[in-house]
Structures are given as C-alpha cells and as structure tokens.
Amino acid sequence: MRLSRYFLPVLKENPSEAQIVSHRLMLRAGMIKQASAGIYSWLPLGFKVLRKLENIVHEEQARAGHIAIQMPVIQSADLWRESGRYDDYGQEMLRMKDRHDRDMLFTPTAEELVTDIFRGHVSSYKDLPLTLYQIQWKFRDEIRPRFGVMRGREFYMKDGYNFDLNKEDALHAYNRHLVTYLRTYERMGLQAIPMRADSGPIGGDNTHEFLVLADTGESEVFYDSAVTDLTFGDRQIDYDDHAQCRSILEEFTSKYARTDETHDEALFNQVPEDRRRVARGIEVGQIFYFGTKYSEAMGATVQGPDGKPVPVHMGSHGIGVSRLVGAIIEASHDDKGIIWPEGVTPFHCGIVNLKQGDDEADAACDSLYKAMTALGLDPLYDDRKERAGGKFATMDLIGLPWRITVGPRGLKNGVVELTNRRTGESEELSPEAAVTKIAEIYQNIA
C-alpha cells in the first residue's frame, strides 16, 4: 500500500475525550472513529489489525479441532426464557420487539442459541465430543462505556462452546481451551495470565480469566510474580492427550493468581512476600465449565452407551478480539505512539522516502516495495510529498515494527537505513540486505 492512496486520518493533537493510552492512540492513528457512545467504526488501519487477531484465533482454534460456525446477532427471547436467563441477565442486554411484537435481543453471548443448534442435530454419544465456535459482533449495554474499545457497548468476540458426554471429557475441553488461549496470546505478543475468576451471569464453578497486566486495567489482581516467568513457547501439543493438556493447565495455574472477586487473603499470604504482587489487569478472555446448566434446562440430551438419554456437559470460552487491540497498545507503546508486535502489525514494514520526486530515491523505494511484495510481505510506502519529520512522526505513531528510510545521501553509498521501532536502533544495509532481513524476521513469526 502507498500512503498517498491510503485512508489514514491521523490526528496531531490528543483527543480530549480519550482517558487512556490505547483510546488516545487509536483515535490519533486513525484506527477508529466513534459513531455513538461505546460504538466505533473501524477504519482501515484498525480493521487490518482486527483481522490479524481474528486470523490468529481461527488458526489456533482449528489446530485444536474446534469447528467454526456463524450465528445471528439477533436472537429470540424465547430461547433465553427456556434457560431462565432472560430476566436475570439485567439491563446490559439490549431488548427489542420486531414488527410482529415478538421479543428479541441483540446477542451478548450465545449459550442458548448454540444449545438449540446442538439439540436439533445431535442425538448420540458417538457424535461427541464437539466444540463449535464463532467470531462475531456482540452488544452489551454498558451503563458507562469508556476507554474506547476497552469498554465499549459493541465488541467483536470469539465465543466457543463444547459439548461432552461427561464431566471428565468436559474438563478436558476446558484444559484444551486454556492451552489454545496461551498459544493465541503469545502469538499476539502478549503475556495473558490465567487467573481464577468469578463466573458472573454465564454460571458454573470452574472459570479462569486471562488478564494482561496494565495500569489502566479495570480489575485489581493479586498474583505470585513467578507466573510472569512462564512462557508457552513452541511446544508441540497433542490436543487429544488429556494428561498433557492437564499438566499445562496445572503449570500455568498452580501459582497464586486471582482477580479481586475471588481473592483469598489467607492463601495470598502463603506466597513468599518478595513475590506477592498487587496490580491491575485487562481481561482479554475467559473460559467456563458449567456442566449441565443449559442442557438440562433446554433438553440437550444424547443417547448414552447404555441407550438412556443423558444431558451433555458443556462449557463456553471467549476471547475479546476487539478489546485485544486496545490491550496490545496498552502493553506496547511509548511516548511517540504504538509499537506493534510483529505477529499483529498491520503492515510488516514502513518505507520512508526522504526526497519524494528525486528519480534515484523514487526508483529505490519502488524497487524495495516490489521486492517485499514479491516475497509475500505487506509494506506501507510513505510516498507523500511531506517533510521528513512528519513522515517519521506518522510511522512512529502507527507503530510499524520496522522502517526502511531511503534518501539520496545513503543511496550514494549504496545503503538504506533499517530502524527497529521498539529499540530505536538503526543500521545501514544495502537495499537487498534490508529486504532479506525483514523477510527472515517474519519467517520466524508463527
């Protein structure tokens, strides 16, 4: 993409309504525009990042054998009355009537709808286990939407639902989801800590939230600092192996880590004092096991091995995809702007032409652009007739992890400048060597 042809409405001043870093930088970088309170249009740069995150989620869900579907955003209230949640959910649910005076709602979550799909098509234990998921827009009518996409009313979420014959299999699905989420977040350049949490209106006894530590987090968290030393890395996982998935869950949840709703001061005091931490965290996902809560209420049964009908055991598993965009920025920025991890950057590299209109500089930039695109890379070429300082400021603001700077002086010596956005370090390389280095960097990204 050439910047002269791109829609990137950057702002020079900090928006007065933005209270936290991610909201401020997303507005300034032209990623989003508010449509109404807590509801945003996603502009090209923001939409590109959103799609990167969505693709990572899809890839990791597919790796674990989970199956994607798409359910409607408008649901019938009758299903929620079956489960008993219609009146209990509260004012966060946006309720409406259609032209036939039928009660409808804008989905905040889809346990009832997916259970209805299951009960209509699955009748035997031989069809289990089954995990269905979707990535879809949701709506919760927050009383005070704030912090941009971090606490909006409309949000993009992956929600998955497992159906198993018994509790043992359902808890394996729970463990399997925890493993997939650890992989997912690390690929996004995040450390998301699984913490014992409260189940809220979803219900159930087993639940963990995944939280990214940040000063602007909405939750107070208590944890053993040893959990921040854990990394998933490039382990090879057999998702059908109950023991392997359980051992990873135990590895990542055996140290104390809880949100304020489930904090136990006595247990926390057993952590060595030098490792006790109290901080704030941003919730970016949650997994639940709730047994037969919905299947019993809604008649989702299968014929068991003995021929008798049994209600299936279920769990649900969510990742806040749109919220993750803000969480990544909160965790990765400086006073100049965003710093995207390589796994989620909207463009792999920026190309800055210091002297647009100079034949040699223009030709060198065109050559770099073509060489990178030929290798499957996606560069952003700033070909505007703009002063150098303005071009650098834009690249720093939008946070591309690598920048190649091209100018007449360097070209006389046969070099361009390659700059690392995170460290600020630069090196002079031949144009060919710069392209090769960028390609090698992204070859190593999962």
Side-chain angles (χ1 to χ4, degrees), residues 194 210 223 284 360 426:
F210 290 79
Y223 64 97
V284 292
E360 188 177 6
S426 297

Side-chain angles (χ1 to χ4, degrees), residues 49-64:
V49 176
L50 194 65
R51 282 288 175 258
K52 287 282 187 80
L53 300 181
E54 180 182 1
N55 288 339
I56 291 173
V57 173
H58 275 305
E59 289 168 6
E60 293 305 325
Q61 290 300 298
R63 193 194 298 262

